[in-house]
């Protein structure tokens, strides 16, 4: 994924230089690459290949000690994961849809909030620096500590949210649950947005700094109002930032494990059963590492395809424009 | 040329160090003078556990010259860490395991089996309480661990609240419990405190009630038999305390951190089903004369096949990893921990019961709470199914009950057919 993201944009064709006299390629540059290659192998490639290898095995507690000897079962794990008539497949599909819905909401809201805050904080005013710092706090806090505080706030009987809603504002009579049942989905969305939007804010603010001021002045002279300027100047100028930002937000939200795990524990409510938690449960809690790996590989394929299509179309749109 | 040589050497060194890191040596070490021990969290905090264990381990070092490095592991991490140690062959020499995982962990083949010769070295089979030893592995196989601390469920009740409601004795049947609960539920106080989102606790109650209704979660071959009417009835009975009888505060549906113990200790609820709660209640400031303890109730009219079981055999076992390079020292340590002296010291500190028969008449364990636990373990407790899939049963059934409790909090009492349906889905996921 990283390689695709950091690939240079279509560079202008290099002016053809006169080929210099060929020299013997020095070994040093390649040797210097070795540490990076070793690390890349150790951190990404080998675990990934091991995951694929595991997904083809029946790797349960019976084989965990001698895991390399787990029996080969071909594509059976994939069949079970993807068979929507079986309980396992049905639940995986359910958590997939929950994740999609959650991701769309979280990315949309985080982006919207981030953009609004970035635009509003463009003009200098007293206390701007303070506000900027405050907005970035969620991003700087350790996830575990932040989310566990949310889980305290959202407790039904002792949480601060219900205290305000029920005891102080008298908006609802019956104390709602936020961590179990249907509301748990919304709690998750809110906590994730709270966690992700400062990143959007940071990226967009940086992007806005790069927009030349005279474009706004020109638009202003042409009589463009706030919304028109936003649509005609700000958003097009932010396109390169947006492209990366939306993709990163999508991938982070889709794969977020920490937030639901800390908020709900090992067994998330049905309505907020994100796919990352679901795969964790299949592999680590019910001890079927082969099945969990197969699910992870499917997820990886799905995310690669979505990212690939996204990059293809955004590039194409830019090339066409 | 010189530069190139440096680079080559550097690269080679880096490669070598990476490879060395991959095959690096784990914590246990190979010498016979140290042992690594993962203790489970038994007391109110990890630090308190370490404080209780340290002087005992020093005693062991004095006797044998073997230094024990102890790490107290929280319950939420223990199973995963045991798995990781089993997989990698790296890790401690001696560990504590929750006895309900015995058969699941036995299946990994990573632990030293306590066959006749091995168990002989720590005092022999007859030294251990039979029911506790029965919960240390699958039938017909040598146990994968030996019992260390024994526990069982009991019914705790608030004496003052009972007296105020005019109730003279603790309920002996579920019907009485509901009737009493209704009398006690008033003015913001509730009859019963339940742990409505606690996966392991759910699986325990599902097992106990299923036995009373004549059900089983696994058949003799170890195949899951989740979706029987008896199992569904059992779960319905437990959820209905909140959903239909309304003697549990709906807020309990999200309890998973022992909040129900706090509620009981602070007088918000009059009854609690728990294992050896006494020590925790004292830490919450409840005096021993404020609460009473009785066996877990039974069904007034059990159906055909219903068994007189009111607790699972709960407890903590001690096991030795096969990969330990200090097998003899590890076995010595197990012998030490299960000796009469240590059993007295440690079980007193934790409020649990000794797992050895030699201490069954010891006055140190003759308090009312310990007596109920001991009687239960002796007569009416049964081990959870000792099958490799036990850990899956815990998670899947616990998950089903979490969802039922969430619905119950909104006043929805599940039907038997509905529960059977959910159990069927859960059963299909057992591999």
């Amino acid at each position: 994924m990283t390689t695709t993201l950091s690939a240079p944009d279509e560079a202008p064709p290099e002016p053809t230089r006169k080929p210099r006299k060929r020299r013997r390629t020095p070994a040093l540059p390649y040797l210097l690459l070795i540490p990076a290659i070793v690390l890349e192998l150790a951190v990404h490639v080998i675990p990934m290949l091991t995951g694929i290898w595991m997904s083809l095995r029946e790797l349960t507690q019976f084989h965990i000690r001698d895991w390399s000897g787990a029996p080969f079962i071909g594509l059976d794990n994939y069949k079970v994961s993807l068979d929507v008539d079986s309980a396992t497949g049905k639940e995986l599909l359910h958590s997939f849809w929950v994740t999609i819905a959650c991701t769309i909401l979280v990315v949309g809201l985080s982006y919207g909030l981030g953009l609004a805050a970035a635009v509003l904080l463009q003009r200098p005013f007293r206390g701007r620096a303070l506000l900027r710092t405050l907005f970035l706090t969620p991003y700087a806090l350790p996830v575990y500590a932040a989310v566990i505080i949310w889980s305290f706030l959202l407790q039904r009987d002792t949480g601060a949210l219900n205290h305000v809603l029920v005891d102080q504002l008298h908006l609802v009579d019956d104390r709602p649950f936020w961590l179990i049942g249907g509301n748990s989905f919304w709690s998750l969305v809110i906590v994730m947005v709270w966690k992700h939007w400062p990143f959007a804010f940071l990226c967009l603010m940086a992007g806005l700094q790069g927009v030349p001021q005279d474009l706004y002045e020109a638009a202003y002279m042409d009589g463009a109002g706030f919304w028109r300027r936003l649509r005609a100047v700000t958003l097009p100028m932010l396109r390169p930032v947006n492209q990366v930002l939306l993709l990163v937000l999508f991938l982070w939200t889709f794969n977020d494990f920490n937030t639901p795990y800390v908020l709900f524990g090992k067994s998330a409510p049905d309505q907020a059963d994100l796919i990352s938690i679901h795969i964790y449960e299949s592999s680590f809690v019910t001890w079927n590492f082969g099945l969990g790996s197969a699910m992870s590989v499917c997820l990886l394929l799905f995310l690669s395809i979505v990212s690939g299509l996204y990059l293809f179309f955004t590039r194409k749109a830019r090339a066409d424009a | 040329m010189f530069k190139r040589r440096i680079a080559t050497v550097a690269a080679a060194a880096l490669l070598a160090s990476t490879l060395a890191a991959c095959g690096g040596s784990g914590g246990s070490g190979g010498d016979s003078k140290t042992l690594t021990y993962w203790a489970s969290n038994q007391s109110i905090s990890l630090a308190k556990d370490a404080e209780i264990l340290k002087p005992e381990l020093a005693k062991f070092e004095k006797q044998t010259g073997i230094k024990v490095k102890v790490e107290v592991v929280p319950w939420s991490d223990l199973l995963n860490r045991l798995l990781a140690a089993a997989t990698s062959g790296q890790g401690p020499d001696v560990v504590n395991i929750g006895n309900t995982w015995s058969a699941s962990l036995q299946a990994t083949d990573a632990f030293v089996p306590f066959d006749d010769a091995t168990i002989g070295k720590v005092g022999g089979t007859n030294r251990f309480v039979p029911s506790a030893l029965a919960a240390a592995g699958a039938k017909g196989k040598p146990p994968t661990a030996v019992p260390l601390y024994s526990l069982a469920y009991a019914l705790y009740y608030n004496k003052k609240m009972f007296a105020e409601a005019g109730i003279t004795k603790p309920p002996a049947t579920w019907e009485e419990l509901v009737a009493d609960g209704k009398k006690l539920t008033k003015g913001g106080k509730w009859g019963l405190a339940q742990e409505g989102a606690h996966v392991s606790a759910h699986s325990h109650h599902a097992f106990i009630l299923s036995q009373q209704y004549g059900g089983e979660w696994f058949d003799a071959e170890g195949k899951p038999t989740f979706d029987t009417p008896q199992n569904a009835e059992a779960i319905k009975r437990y959820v209905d305390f909140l959903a239909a009888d309304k003697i549990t505060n709906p807020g309990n549906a999200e309890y998973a951190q022992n909040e129900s113990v706090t509620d009981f200790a602070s007088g918000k609820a009059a009854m609690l089903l728990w294992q050896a709660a006494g020590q925790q209640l004292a830490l919450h400031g409840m005096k021993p004369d404020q609460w009473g303890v009785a066996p877990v109730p039974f069904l007034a009219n059990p159906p055909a096949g219903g068994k007189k079981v009111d607790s699972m055999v709960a407890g903590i076992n001690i096991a030795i990893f096969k990969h330990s390079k200090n097998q003899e020292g590890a076995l010595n340590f197990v012998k030490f921990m299960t000796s009469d002296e240590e059993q007295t010291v440690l079980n007193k500190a934790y409020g649990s019961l000794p797992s050895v028969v030699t201490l069954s008449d010891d006055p140190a364990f003759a308090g009312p709470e310990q007596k109920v636990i001991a009687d239960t373990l002796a007569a009416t407790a049964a081990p959870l199914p000792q099958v490799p899939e036990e850990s899956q049963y815990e998670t899947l059934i616990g998950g089903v009950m979490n969802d039922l409790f969430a619905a119950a909090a909104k006043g929805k009492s599940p039907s038997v057919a509905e529960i059977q349906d959910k159990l069927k889905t859960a059963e299909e996921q057992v591999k």
Side-chain angles (χ1 to χ4, degrees), chain A residues 24 26-28 31-32 34-36 38-39 42 60-67 80 85-88 90-91 151 154-158 174 176-183 261 264 266-271 278 280-289 291, chain B residues 3-4 7-8 11 14-15 18 75-77 79-80 83 86-88 101 103-105 107-111 197 199 249-255 259 263 268 322-323 388-392 395-396 398-399 402-403 405-406 409-410 422 424-426 428-429 431:
Chain A
R24 220 162 58 95
L28 186 61
L31 281 173
L32 289 177
I34 286 182
V38 169
L39 276 179
T60 55
Q61 68 261 48
F62 296 102
H63 305 291
I64 202 77
R65 182 160 172 252
D66 179 26
W67 59 283
V80 173
D85 292 328
S86 80
T88 311
K90 217 179 277 172
E91 302 230 319
S151 82
L154 296 171
Q155 299 276 323
R156 174 185 186 257
D157 290 337
T158 50
D174 199 18
F177 283 98
W178 297 104
L179 296 173
I180 56 172
N183 286 343
Y261 187 78
F264 303 123
K266 270 181 191 163
S267 173
D270 225 16
Q271 294 89 343
H278 194 82
Y280 168 80
E281 242 181 77
S282 308
S283 19
F284 289 93
V285 186
T286 54
W287 296 19
N288 196 337
F289 299 89
L291 186 69
Chain B
K3 253 192 215 162
R4 191 161 143 198
T8 319
L14 191 91
L15 254 176
T18 317
W75 280 105
S76 50
D77 292 349
L79 191 57
N80 277 353
L83 265 187
T87 319
S88 61
W101 311 328
S104 295
L105 288 171
T108 66
D109 195 32
F111 297 92
V199 170
N249 181 355
N252 289 20
E254 66 180 18
Y255 284 8
E259 292 101 325
D263 275 8
K268 282 187 198 151
K322 270 188 184 163
H323 66 232
E389 293 82 4
E390 198 282 334
S391 61
Q392 296 179 26
T395 327
L396 291 164
N402 276 5
D403 288 339
F405 263 92
K410 299 206 153 148
K422 283 177 183 283
K424 194 161 177 275
T425 312
E428 281 174 31
Q429 292 174 66
K431 286 280 147 14

Side-chain angles (χ1 to χ4, degrees), chain B residues 77-321:
Chain B
D77 292 349
L78 188 56
L79 191 57
N80 277 353
R81 290 187 49 179
L82 290 173
L83 265 187
T87 319
S88 61
Q90 308 287 327
D93 304 278
V94 184
V95 290
N96 281 7
I97 63 180
N99 72 353
T100 62
W101 311 328
S102 296
S104 295
L105 288 171
Q106 191 171 34
T108 66
D109 195 32
F111 297 92
V112 174
F114 279 88
D115 52 24
D116 291 340
T118 316
I119 208 166
K121 289 180 192 160
V122 295
T125 309
N126 293 336
R127 176 166 170 76
F128 296 94
V129 175
S131 63
L133 198 60
K139 254 191 203 126
K141 285 187 193 167
T144 199
V146 292
L148 186 61
Y149 314 126
S150 285
L151 295 157
Y153 274 96
L155 175 75
Y156 294 81
Y157 61 96
N158 185 312
K159 284 185 180 167
K160 187 161 164 257
M161 287 168 84
F162 265 52
E164 279 167 6
I167 307 166
T168 50
K169 61 176 182 46
T173 65
W174 295 114
E175 288 75 5
E176 284 171 26
L177 181 134
V178 171
D180 290 349
K182 286 184 172 159
K183 283 183 219 163
L184 293 156
T185 301
K186 55 173 188 261
K189 311 259 164 110
W190 296 85
L192 181 67
Q194 284 179 292
E195 201 76 1
H198 195 302
V199 170
S200 312
H202 280 335
S203 70
H204 300 161
H205 294 299
F207 167 74
I208 295 164
L209 278 156
S210 158
Q211 293 279 306
Q212 297 191 9
Y213 278 98
E216 288 293 350
W217 291 98
F218 290 89
D219 64 15
E221 273 89 61
K223 292 256 175 321
T225 52
F226 287 4
D227 62 342
T228 63
Q230 289 91 338
N231 290 342
E233 290 272 9
I235 290 181
K236 182 174 167 55
R237 175 60 278 163
Y238 191 67
V239 176
D240 269 352
F241 293 133
L242 193 162
D245 307 321
K246 302 192 187 301
I247 58 170
T248 296
N249 181 355
N252 289 20
E254 66 180 18
Y255 284 8
Q257 314 278 343
N258 305 351
E259 292 101 325
S260 50
V261 181
T262 319
D263 275 8
F264 178 79
S266 58
K268 282 187 198 151
M271 290 183 277
L272 173 73
L273 297 161
W274 210 260
Q275 313 173 18
Q279 188 210 22
Q280 276 196 64
L281 295 177
L283 291 164
H284 282 300
M286 204 180 188
K287 303 219 162 45
D289 59 350
Q290 289 176 316
W291 50 270
V293 63
V296 173
F298 290 101
L299 288 169
N301 301 301
K307 297 187 201 71
K308 209 166 163 45
V309 166
D310 64 356
S311 176
M312 28 77 92
V313 178
I316 316 300
N317 297 347
I318 188 163
I320 302 172
F321 266 115

Side-chain angles (χ1 to χ4, degrees), chain A residues 93-156:
Chain A
L93 188 68
H94 167 79
S95 67
F96 176 76
W97 289 124
V98 170
T99 314
I100 292 272
C102 179
T103 308
I104 291 175
L105 281 167
V106 171
V107 173
L109 289 170
S110 305
Y111 182 82
L113 269 175
L115 184 66
V119 168
L120 293 177
L121 291 197
Q122 263 323 96
R123 299 167 135 270
F125 58 88
R126 262 179 97 94
R128 186 172 73 153
L130 180 73
L131 266 186
R132 277 186 181 170
T133 318
L134 276 181
F135 283 176
L136 288 178
T137 316
Y139 187 57
L141 282 177
V143 182
Y144 194 93
V147 177
I148 210 133
I149 290 173
W150 272 102
S151 82
F152 292 152
L153 295 178
L154 296 171
Q155 299 276 323
R156 174 185 186 257

Side-chain angles (χ1 to χ4, degrees), chain A residues 143-194:
Chain A
V143 182
Y144 194 93
V147 177
I148 210 133
I149 290 173
W150 272 102
S151 82
F152 292 152
L153 295 178
L154 296 171
Q155 299 276 323
R156 174 185 186 257
D157 290 337
T158 50
L161 180 68
N162 275 353
H163 184 63
V164 172
L165 281 183
V166 183
D167 305 336
Q168 295 184 324
L169 301 176
H170 305 288
L171 287 177
V172 267
D173 293 332
D174 199 18
R175 301 181 90 85
F177 283 98
W178 297 104
L179 296 173
I180 56 172
N183 286 343
S184 56
F185 176 78
W186 297 105
S187 305
L188 185 62
V189 168
I190 289 168
V191 176
M192 281 177 143
V193 169
W194 177 84

Side-chain angles (χ1 to χ4, degrees), chain A:
Chain A
M1 214 68 70
T2 7
T3 44
T4 347
L5 278 177
S6 57
D9 293 333
E10 319 86 303
E14 296 232 349
T16 38
R17 258 185 247 148
K18 245 194 182 161
R20 277 203 239 156
K21 217 178 118 194
R22 259 185 91 81
R23 275 195 317 188
R24 220 162 58 95
T25 334
L28 186 61
Y30 295 98
L31 281 173
L32 289 177
L33 270 179
I34 286 182
I37 291 174
V38 169
L39 276 179
E40 184 62 22
L41 279 176
V43 176
H44 286 129
V45 180
I46 292 174
M48 207 149 89
L49 292 178
T50 315
I52 294 173
W53 182 90
M54 277 163 70
S55 71
L56 304 172
R57 307 273 159 160
E58 191 193 316
L59 192 55
T60 55
Q61 68 261 48
F62 296 102
H63 305 291
I64 202 77
R65 182 160 172 252
D66 179 26
W67 59 283
S68 54
F72 180 80
I73 50 163
L75 295 176
D76 280 11
N77 282 328
Y78 290 90
K79 280 183 202 146
V80 173
S81 314
L82 299 176
D83 175 12
V84 289
D85 292 328
S86 80
T88 311
K90 217 179 277 172
E91 302 230 319
L92 185 69
L93 188 68
H94 167 79
S95 67
F96 176 76
W97 289 124
V98 170
T99 314
I100 292 272
C102 179
T103 308
I104 291 175
L105 281 167
V106 171
V107 173
L109 289 170
S110 305
Y111 182 82
L113 269 175
L115 184 66
V119 168
L120 293 177
L121 291 197
Q122 263 323 96
R123 299 167 135 270
F125 58 88
R126 262 179 97 94
R128 186 172 73 153
L130 180 73
L131 266 186
R132 277 186 181 170
T133 318
L134 276 181
F135 283 176
L136 288 178
T137 316
Y139 187 57
L141 282 177
V143 182
Y144 194 93
V147 177
I148 210 133
I149 290 173
W150 272 102
S151 82
F152 292 152
L153 295 178
L154 296 171
Q155 299 276 323
R156 174 185 186 257
D157 290 337
T158 50
L161 180 68
N162 275 353
H163 184 63
V164 172
L165 281 183
V166 183
D167 305 336
Q168 295 184 324
L169 301 176
H170 305 288
L171 287 177
V172 267
D173 293 332
D174 199 18
R175 301 181 90 85
F177 283 98
W178 297 104
L179 296 173
I180 56 172
N183 286 343
S184 56
F185 176 78
W186 297 105
S187 305
L188 185 62
V189 168
I190 289 168
V191 176
M192 281 177 143
V193 169
W194 177 84
K195 206 177 108 199
H196 286 321
W197 85 268
F199 179 72
F201 166 64
L202 190 70
C203 286
L204 292 167
M205 201 164 58
L208 283 179
Q209 312 264 306
V211 182
Q213 209 49 43
D214 36 343
L215 283 182
Y216 285 109
E217 279 161 21
Y220 187 74
M221 298 296 270
D222 290 344
F226 174 77
W227 294 109
R228 184 63 206 254
R229 287 204 300 276
L230 184 70
R231 206 153 49 87
V233 182
T234 311
L235 287 179
M237 290 306 287
L238 282 177
R239 191 178 270 163
V241 175
N242 285 344
Q243 192 183 331
V244 177
L245 174 62
L246 287 175
L247 185 64
V248 168
L249 278 181
F250 168 78
L251 292 175
W252 280 1
T253 317
F254 206 96
N255 277 329
D256 192 349
F257 176 79
N258 296 331
T259 315
Y261 187 78
V262 181
L263 204 56
F264 303 123
K266 270 181 191 163
S267 173
D270 225 16
Q271 294 89 343
D273 189 21
L274 288 194
I275 206 153
S276 52
I277 290 279
H278 194 82
I279 292 177
Y280 168 80
E281 242 181 77
S282 308
S283 19
F284 289 93
V285 186
T286 54
W287 296 19
N288 196 337
F289 299 89
L291 186 69
S293 305
M295 291 176 174
S296 306
V297 172
C298 294
L299 186 68
L300 180 74
L301 278 179
F302 170 77
L303 289 176
S304 316
I305 291 171
V306 171
S307 312
L309 284 176
Y310 174 82
L311 287 174
F312 176 76
F313 283 115
T314 46
R315 293 256 159 101
K316 194 165 174 299
R318 202 137 51 112
D320 289 349

